[in-house]
Amino acid sequence: MPLLEVKELRAAYGANEVLQGIDLQIEEGSITALLGANGAGKTTTLRALCQVMVKTAGSIQLGGTRIEGKSTEEIVRLGIAHVPDGRGTFQALTTEENLRLGAYLRRDKAAVAADFERIYSYFPRLKERRLQQAGTMSGGEQQMLAIGRALMLRPRLLLLDEPSFGLAPLVVRDIFEIMKRINQEEKVSILLVEQNAMLSLEVADSIYLLETGRIALHGTPRDIRDNDTVRRVYLGGA
Ligand SMILES: Nc1ncnc2c1ncn2[C@@H]1O[C@H](COP(=O)(O)OP(=O)(O)O)[C@@H](O)[C@H]1O
Ligand SMILES: [Mg+2]
């Protein structure tokens, strides 16, 4: 059974229907990338999965449990953590305070303390910036903090919305490497939304290509790389 199984998912902002019935599956332990041009509906897909800001129809199952129609808090409790576009860290709070907020749903205080250390071991920069206000940190550090905060929820599935956005190539490389380690060491499945197709093809196990609210293509990175249209449109003819 896949960890996440989505069928005929539709999502709308008021009368504006953006997702027109998409199907996708995420295997336990995998990194799945959702690629597509600006405006295709990638961000909306992540919002639909955790029922924020959009009205949805269709079915969403997490580990066999139907989650569509549940509250966002319940969905988080069931194991989906969402790192939204723009990162969503609390700018006036410190690194440590942001991480503590990430654990707000948890009762296991000793394990929470250990998780601080785990997150600092993935992101030593965050430990150095422990007492610094998030808003004064670099874009890369803020992205690390956003991911760290989501990990404090101990999710089964991590939704990342354009983690590379606005960051220098070397910083992006760093973050993608750490993401891969987290996927392997924590057994967290990841749904990665990206415009950076090249990099996603390197890290993902499975790729979906979204075009104006529909899945246009699904396959392994190799399938996608070999597709002529994709090469022309998304990979600059490479
Ligand atoms: N809060 C919103 N209210 C109304 N329309 C929205 C909202 N957010 C996004 N949209 C529309 O939904 C479509 C898909 O947007 P989005 O999911 O953000 O695409 P992507 O993340 O792939 O760039 C766009 O046409 C966008 O204008
Ligand atoms: Mg987006």
Side-chain angles (χ1 to χ4, degrees):
M1 189 204 295
L3 175 63
L4 189 83
E5 179 150 42
V6 171
K7 286 187 187 148
E8 274 296 305
L9 180 64
R10 295 172 174 274
Y13 300 96
N16 176 20
E17 185 169 79
V18 172
L19 297 184
Q20 304 176 16
I22 68 171
D23 291 354
L24 51 96
Q25 292 195 353
I26 297 179
E27 297 305 323
E28 182 101 54
S30 71
I31 298 181
T32 301
L34 180 64
L35 307 180
N38 203 6
K42 303 180 300 296
T43 291
T44 302
T45 302
L46 299 192
R47 288 176 181 158
L49 295 179
C50 39
Q51 308 277 302
V52 283
M53 291 171 72
V54 283
K55 201 168 76 241
T56 68
S59 90
I60 308 170
Q61 290 191 41
L62 180 72
T65 303
R66 299 282 290 260
I67 60 167
E68 77 275 4
K70 292 194 190 293
S71 69
T72 303
E73 182 172 322
E74 182 81 5
I75 291 169
V76 170
R77 217 186 277 281
L78 288 168
I80 299 185
H82 180 200
V83 179
D85 59 347
R87 288 146 199 164
T89 49
F90 293 96
Q91 302 281 292
L93 301 185
T94 64
T95 293
E96 200 170 275
E97 288 163 342
N98 268 283
L99 292 178
R100 191 164 299 123
L101 273 177
Y104 76 107
L105 284 174
R106 295 174 54 182
R107 303 274 174 270
D108 48 343
K109 297 299 172 209
V112 167
D115 280 353
F116 268 97
E117 288 313 312
R118 250 173 3 102
I119 285 159
Y120 289 146
S121 77
Y122 286 116
F123 301 110
R125 290 294 285 275
L126 291 184
K127 187 161 194 174
E128 291 166 26
R129 304 267 182 259
R130 209 160 48 87
L131 302 176
Q132 191 171 330
Q133 280 189 350
T136 66
M137 304 197 313
S138 72
E141 289 162 355
Q142 291 191 41
Q143 185 61 53
M144 293 173 191
L145 177 55
I147 295 171
R149 197 177 63 156
L151 288 176
M152 291 302 279
L153 292 160
R154 287 262 177 167
R156 302 171 73 184
L157 175 63
L158 186 60
L159 312 178
L160 297 178
D161 198 342
E162 299 212 38
S164 71
F165 189 82
L167 304 182
L170 280 179
V171 179
V172 173
R173 283 246 153 239
D174 250 19
I175 288 180
F176 271 56
E177 265 168 37
I178 296 167
M179 179 183 74
K180 188 92 198 168
R181 272 186 58 210
I182 288 170
N183 165 247
Q184 287 167 352
E185 293 170 24
E186 307 289 319
K187 314 269 184 260
V188 180
S189 309
I190 294 175
L191 176 57
L192 169 70
V193 158
E194 264 298 336
Q195 285 205 54
N196 187 332
M198 278 301 204
L199 202 52
S200 306
L201 289 172
E202 283 177 34
V203 296
D205 304 296
S206 174
I207 310 273
Y208 287 87
L209 183 65
L210 193 64
E211 273 177 9
T212 52
R214 294 175 195 279
I215 300 293
L217 210 57
H218 168 224
T220 63
R222 176 187 291 261
D223 299 332
I224 302 292
R225 245 189 233 109
D226 289 346
N227 182 291
D228 286 339
T229 310
V230 173
R231 281 152 74 119
R232 205 172 52 244
V233 179
Y234 295 94
L235 304 175

mmCIF file of all heavy atoms in Angstrom, residues 12-14 16-19 35-47 53-54 85 161-162 193 195 210 213, ligand 1:
data_model
loop_
_atom_site.group_PDB
_atom_site.id
_atom_site.type_symbol
_atom_site.label_atom_id
_atom_site.label_comp_id
_atom_site.label_asym_id
_atom_site.label_seq_id
_atom_site.Cartn_x
_atom_site.Cartn_y
_atom_site.Cartn_z
ATOM 1 N N ALA A 12 -10.317 24.197 -5.381
ATOM 2 C CA ALA A 12 -10.786 25.472 -5.911
ATOM 3 C C ALA A 12 -10.638 26.582 -4.885
ATOM 4 O O ALA A 12 -10.701 26.352 -3.680
ATOM 5 C CB ALA A 12 -12.254 25.346 -6.315
ATOM 6 N N TYR A 13 -10.380 27.780 -5.412
ATOM 7 C CA TYR A 13 -10.461 29.002 -4.603
ATOM 8 C C TYR A 13 -11.784 29.648 -5.009
ATOM 9 O O TYR A 13 -11.891 30.140 -6.143
ATOM 10 C CB TYR A 13 -9.318 29.952 -4.926
ATOM 11 C CG TYR A 13 -7.941 29.366 -4.669
ATOM 12 C CD1 TYR A 13 -7.211 28.782 -5.700
ATOM 13 C CD2 TYR A 13 -7.384 29.405 -3.395
ATOM 14 C CE1 TYR A 13 -5.948 28.258 -5.476
ATOM 15 C CE2 TYR A 13 -6.118 28.879 -3.154
ATOM 16 C CZ TYR A 13 -5.407 28.308 -4.194
ATOM 17 O OH TYR A 13 -4.154 27.785 -3.961
ATOM 18 N N GLY A 14 -12.777 29.596 -4.171
ATOM 19 C CA GLY A 14 -14.092 30.095 -4.564
ATOM 20 C C GLY A 14 -14.554 29.360 -5.808
ATOM 21 O O GLY A 14 -14.573 28.130 -5.842
ATOM 22 N N ASN A 16 -13.037 29.449 -8.658
ATOM 23 C CA ASN A 16 -11.904 29.203 -9.546
ATOM 24 C C ASN A 16 -11.297 27.825 -9.291
ATOM 25 O O ASN A 16 -10.516 27.642 -8.353
ATOM 26 C CB ASN A 16 -10.871 30.331 -9.324
ATOM 27 C CG ASN A 16 -9.605 30.127 -10.142
ATOM 28 O OD1 ASN A 16 -9.598 29.390 -11.133
ATOM 29 N ND2 ASN A 16 -8.532 30.775 -9.699
ATOM 30 N N GLU A 17 -11.666 26.855 -10.116
ATOM 31 C CA GLU A 17 -11.143 25.501 -9.928
ATOM 32 C C GLU A 17 -9.730 25.408 -10.508
ATOM 33 O O GLU A 17 -9.511 25.680 -11.683
ATOM 34 C CB GLU A 17 -12.045 24.460 -10.577
ATOM 35 C CG GLU A 17 -11.542 23.061 -10.249
ATOM 36 C CD GLU A 17 -12.505 21.953 -10.617
ATOM 37 O OE1 GLU A 17 -12.579 21.586 -11.803
ATOM 38 O OE2 GLU A 17 -13.192 21.468 -9.693
ATOM 39 N N VAL A 18 -8.782 25.030 -9.658
ATOM 40 C CA VAL A 18 -7.381 24.988 -10.075
ATOM 41 C C VAL A 18 -6.933 23.548 -10.353
ATOM 42 O O VAL A 18 -6.323 23.274 -11.383
ATOM 43 C CB VAL A 18 -6.481 25.645 -9.005
ATOM 44 C CG1 VAL A 18 -5.014 25.446 -9.328
ATOM 45 C CG2 VAL A 18 -6.801 27.134 -8.894
ATOM 46 N N LEU A 19 -7.245 22.619 -9.447
ATOM 47 C CA LEU A 19 -6.898 21.213 -9.700
ATOM 48 C C LEU A 19 -8.115 20.518 -10.270
ATOM 49 O O LEU A 19 -9.193 20.556 -9.687
ATOM 50 C CB LEU A 19 -6.462 20.512 -8.409
ATOM 51 C CG LEU A 19 -5.216 21.029 -7.724
ATOM 52 C CD1 LEU A 19 -4.883 20.141 -6.523
ATOM 53 C CD2 LEU A 19 -4.041 21.122 -8.679
ATOM 54 N N LEU A 35 6.629 18.561 -10.395
ATOM 55 C CA LEU A 35 7.222 19.638 -11.181
ATOM 56 C C LEU A 35 6.142 20.330 -11.998
ATOM 57 O O LEU A 35 5.085 19.758 -12.258
ATOM 58 C CB LEU A 35 8.282 19.092 -12.141
ATOM 59 C CG LEU A 35 9.379 18.219 -11.538
ATOM 60 C CD1 LEU A 35 10.342 17.764 -12.635
ATOM 61 C CD2 LEU A 35 10.132 18.980 -10.466
ATOM 62 N N GLY A 36 6.450 21.524 -12.446
ATOM 63 C CA GLY A 36 5.504 22.221 -13.304
ATOM 64 C C GLY A 36 5.800 23.702 -13.330
ATOM 65 O O GLY A 36 6.447 24.224 -12.431
ATOM 66 N N ALA A 37 5.301 24.351 -14.367
ATOM 67 C CA ALA A 37 5.554 25.776 -14.552
ATOM 68 C C ALA A 37 4.848 26.590 -13.466
ATOM 69 O O ALA A 37 3.987 26.076 -12.744
ATOM 70 C CB ALA A 37 5.068 26.203 -15.929
ATOM 71 N N ASN A 38 5.210 27.839 -13.388
ATOM 72 C CA ASN A 38 4.557 28.779 -12.500
ATOM 73 C C ASN A 38 3.051 28.797 -12.792
ATOM 74 O O ASN A 38 2.653 28.863 -13.942
ATOM 75 C CB ASN A 38 5.165 30.161 -12.796
ATOM 76 C CG ASN A 38 4.996 31.093 -11.617
ATOM 77 O OD1 ASN A 38 4.532 30.694 -10.547
ATOM 78 N ND2 ASN A 38 5.367 32.347 -11.819
ATOM 79 N N GLY A 39 2.234 28.673 -11.743
ATOM 80 C CA GLY A 39 0.784 28.736 -11.931
ATOM 81 C C GLY A 39 0.127 27.405 -12.264
ATOM 82 O O GLY A 39 -1.093 27.334 -12.423
ATOM 83 N N ALA A 40 0.908 26.332 -12.351
ATOM 84 C CA ALA A 40 0.351 25.025 -12.730
ATOM 85 C C ALA A 40 -0.572 24.445 -11.655
ATOM 86 O O ALA A 40 -1.464 23.648 -11.952
ATOM 87 C CB ALA A 40 1.483 24.032 -13.018
ATOM 88 N N GLY A 41 -0.331 24.848 -10.397
ATOM 89 C CA GLY A 41 -1.156 24.318 -9.301
ATOM 90 C C GLY A 41 -0.377 23.493 -8.294
ATOM 91 O O GLY A 41 -0.962 22.759 -7.497
ATOM 92 N N LYS A 42 0.947 23.649 -8.275
ATOM 93 C CA LYS A 42 1.780 22.863 -7.366
ATOM 94 C C LYS A 42 1.498 23.240 -5.910
ATOM 95 O O LYS A 42 1.276 22.372 -5.059
ATOM 96 C CB LYS A 42 3.278 23.075 -7.686
ATOM 97 C CG LYS A 42 3.644 22.739 -9.125
ATOM 98 C CD LYS A 42 5.134 22.964 -9.418
ATOM 99 C CE LYS A 42 5.624 24.393 -9.205
ATOM 100 N NZ LYS A 42 4.993 25.396 -10.111
ATOM 101 N N THR A 43 1.550 24.535 -5.631
ATOM 102 C CA THR A 43 1.286 25.000 -4.264
ATOM 103 C C THR A 43 -0.124 24.605 -3.840
ATOM 104 O O THR A 43 -0.351 24.155 -2.704
ATOM 105 C CB THR A 43 1.478 26.532 -4.197
ATOM 106 O OG1 THR A 43 2.872 26.812 -4.369
ATOM 107 C CG2 THR A 43 1.011 27.107 -2.870
ATOM 108 N N THR A 44 -1.061 24.729 -4.765
ATOM 109 C CA THR A 44 -2.451 24.372 -4.463
ATOM 110 C C THR A 44 -2.568 22.891 -4.109
ATOM 111 O O THR A 44 -3.337 22.512 -3.219
ATOM 112 C CB THR A 44 -3.345 24.726 -5.670
ATOM 113 O OG1 THR A 44 -3.204 26.125 -5.938
ATOM 114 C CG2 THR A 44 -4.801 24.391 -5.401
ATOM 115 N N THR A 45 -1.781 22.043 -4.770
ATOM 116 C CA THR A 45 -1.806 20.608 -4.466
ATOM 117 C C THR A 45 -1.402 20.374 -3.010
ATOM 118 O O THR A 45 -2.065 19.635 -2.283
ATOM 119 C CB THR A 45 -0.852 19.833 -5.406
ATOM 120 O OG1 THR A 45 -1.248 20.091 -6.753
ATOM 121 C CG2 THR A 45 -0.894 18.349 -5.131
ATOM 122 N N LEU A 46 -0.328 21.020 -2.582
ATOM 123 C CA LEU A 46 0.109 20.836 -1.192
ATOM 124 C C LEU A 46 -0.941 21.362 -0.219
ATOM 125 O O LEU A 46 -1.206 20.752 0.820
ATOM 126 C CB LEU A 46 1.465 21.518 -0.947
ATOM 127 C CG LEU A 46 2.642 21.015 -1.796
ATOM 128 C CD1 LEU A 46 3.959 21.573 -1.247
ATOM 129 C CD2 LEU A 46 2.706 19.485 -1.843
ATOM 130 N N ARG A 47 -1.538 22.504 -0.564
ATOM 131 C CA ARG A 47 -2.597 23.048 0.311
ATOM 132 C C ARG A 47 -3.776 22.078 0.388
ATOM 133 O O ARG A 47 -4.369 21.902 1.453
ATOM 134 C CB ARG A 47 -3.092 24.391 -0.232
ATOM 135 C CG ARG A 47 -2.084 25.502 -0.043
ATOM 136 C CD ARG A 47 -2.594 26.780 -0.694
ATOM 137 N NE ARG A 47 -1.629 27.861 -0.551
ATOM 138 C CZ ARG A 47 -1.610 28.924 -1.345
ATOM 139 N NH1 ARG A 47 -2.500 29.060 -2.322
ATOM 140 N NH2 ARG A 47 -0.700 29.870 -1.156
ATOM 141 N N MET A 53 -6.688 26.591 3.008
ATOM 142 C CA MET A 53 -6.985 27.669 2.055
ATOM 143 C C MET A 53 -7.814 27.266 0.838
ATOM 144 O O MET A 53 -8.263 28.138 0.115
ATOM 145 C CB MET A 53 -5.702 28.339 1.535
ATOM 146 C CG MET A 53 -4.992 29.138 2.594
ATOM 147 S SD MET A 53 -3.380 29.701 2.031
ATOM 148 C CE MET A 53 -3.855 30.962 0.856
ATOM 149 N N VAL A 54 -7.976 25.977 0.564
ATOM 150 C CA VAL A 54 -8.740 25.592 -0.629
ATOM 151 C C VAL A 54 -9.878 24.644 -0.272
ATOM 152 O O VAL A 54 -9.835 23.954 0.734
ATOM 153 C CB VAL A 54 -7.863 24.875 -1.695
ATOM 154 C CG1 VAL A 54 -7.019 25.844 -2.463
ATOM 155 C CG2 VAL A 54 -7.016 23.782 -1.073
ATOM 156 N N ASP A 85 5.285 27.588 0.770
ATOM 157 C CA ASP A 85 6.148 28.496 0.009
ATOM 158 C C ASP A 85 6.319 29.763 0.840
ATOM 159 O O ASP A 85 5.442 30.146 1.603
ATOM 160 C CB ASP A 85 5.614 28.771 -1.405
ATOM 161 C CG ASP A 85 4.225 29.386 -1.405
ATOM 162 O OD1 ASP A 85 3.562 29.384 -0.350
ATOM 163 O OD2 ASP A 85 3.810 29.876 -2.457
ATOM 164 N N ASP A 161 7.533 23.039 -0.291
ATOM 165 C CA ASP A 161 7.125 23.883 -1.415
ATOM 166 C C ASP A 161 8.271 24.793 -1.847
ATOM 167 O O ASP A 161 8.569 25.786 -1.195
ATOM 168 C CB ASP A 161 5.893 24.716 -1.033
ATOM 169 C CG ASP A 161 5.173 25.254 -2.277
ATOM 170 O OD1 ASP A 161 5.789 25.274 -3.371
ATOM 171 O OD2 ASP A 161 4.008 25.661 -2.143
ATOM 172 N N GLU A 162 8.930 24.425 -2.927
ATOM 173 C CA GLU A 162 10.040 25.180 -3.519
ATOM 174 C C GLU A 162 11.099 25.599 -2.507
ATOM 175 O O GLU A 162 11.377 26.788 -2.330
ATOM 176 C CB GLU A 162 9.517 26.417 -4.260
ATOM 177 C CG GLU A 162 8.582 26.004 -5.399
ATOM 178 C CD GLU A 162 8.611 26.939 -6.589
ATOM 179 O OE1 GLU A 162 9.716 27.425 -6.922
ATOM 180 O OE2 GLU A 162 7.557 27.157 -7.171
ATOM 181 N N VAL A 193 7.967 19.964 -4.139
ATOM 182 C CA VAL A 193 7.484 20.801 -5.236
ATOM 183 C C VAL A 193 8.643 21.679 -5.691
ATOM 184 O O VAL A 193 9.321 22.285 -4.868
ATOM 185 C CB VAL A 193 6.311 21.679 -4.759
ATOM 186 C CG1 VAL A 193 6.139 22.891 -5.637
ATOM 187 C CG2 VAL A 193 5.027 20.869 -4.727
ATOM 188 N N GLN A 195 10.441 24.144 -9.131
ATOM 189 C CA GLN A 195 10.572 24.607 -10.508
ATOM 190 C C GLN A 195 11.926 24.198 -11.062
ATOM 191 O O GLN A 195 12.133 24.150 -12.258
ATOM 192 C CB GLN A 195 10.435 26.128 -10.580
ATOM 193 C CG GLN A 195 9.004 26.577 -10.410
ATOM 194 C CD GLN A 195 8.757 27.930 -11.050
ATOM 195 O OE1 GLN A 195 9.029 28.139 -12.211
ATOM 196 N NE2 GLN A 195 8.234 28.849 -10.246
ATOM 197 N N LEU A 210 2.961 18.474 -13.533
ATOM 198 C CA LEU A 210 1.639 19.096 -13.472
ATOM 199 C C LEU A 210 1.548 20.192 -14.525
ATOM 200 O O LEU A 210 2.444 21.030 -14.636
ATOM 201 C CB LEU A 210 1.462 19.676 -12.060
ATOM 202 C CG LEU A 210 0.079 20.120 -11.622
ATOM 203 C CD1 LEU A 210 -0.886 18.947 -11.562
ATOM 204 C CD2 LEU A 210 0.169 20.762 -10.228
ATOM 205 N N GLY A 213 -3.290 22.228 -13.688
ATOM 206 C CA GLY A 213 -4.249 21.490 -12.878
ATOM 207 C C GLY A 213 -4.470 20.040 -13.242
ATOM 208 O O GLY A 213 -5.374 19.399 -12.701
HETATM 209 N N1 LIG B 1 -5.204 32.290 -2.654
HETATM 210 C C1 LIG B 1 -5.594 32.182 -3.941
HETATM 211 N N2 LIG B 1 -6.790 32.681 -4.358
HETATM 212 C C2 LIG B 1 -7.178 32.555 -5.639
HETATM 213 N N3 LIG B 1 -6.464 31.980 -6.614
HETATM 214 C C3 LIG B 1 -5.263 31.477 -6.269
HETATM 215 C C4 LIG B 1 -4.764 31.554 -4.930
HETATM 216 N N4 LIG B 1 -3.545 30.973 -4.887
HETATM 217 C C5 LIG B 1 -3.292 30.554 -6.149
HETATM 218 N N5 LIG B 1 -4.305 30.858 -6.976
HETATM 219 C C6 LIG B 1 -4.394 30.529 -8.419
HETATM 220 O O1 LIG B 1 -4.283 29.143 -8.609
HETATM 221 C C7 LIG B 1 -3.482 28.813 -9.732
HETATM 222 C C8 LIG B 1 -2.375 27.881 -9.332
HETATM 223 O O2 LIG B 1 -1.532 28.545 -8.405
HETATM 224 P P1 LIG B 1 -0.410 27.790 -7.567
HETATM 225 O O3 LIG B 1 -0.963 26.554 -6.983
HETATM 226 O O4 LIG B 1 0.156 28.793 -6.644
HETATM 227 O O5 LIG B 1 0.633 27.407 -8.715
HETATM 228 P P2 LIG B 1 2.179 27.016 -8.624
HETATM 229 O O6 LIG B 1 2.516 26.759 -7.201
HETATM 230 O O7 LIG B 1 2.315 25.807 -9.493
HETATM 231 O O8 LIG B 1 2.946 28.177 -9.182
HETATM 232 C C9 LIG B 1 -2.989 30.146 -10.306
HETATM 233 O O9 LIG B 1 -3.827 30.478 -11.396
HETATM 234 C C10 LIG B 1 -3.188 31.107 -9.165
HETATM 235 O O10 LIG B 1 -3.482 32.394 -9.643
#
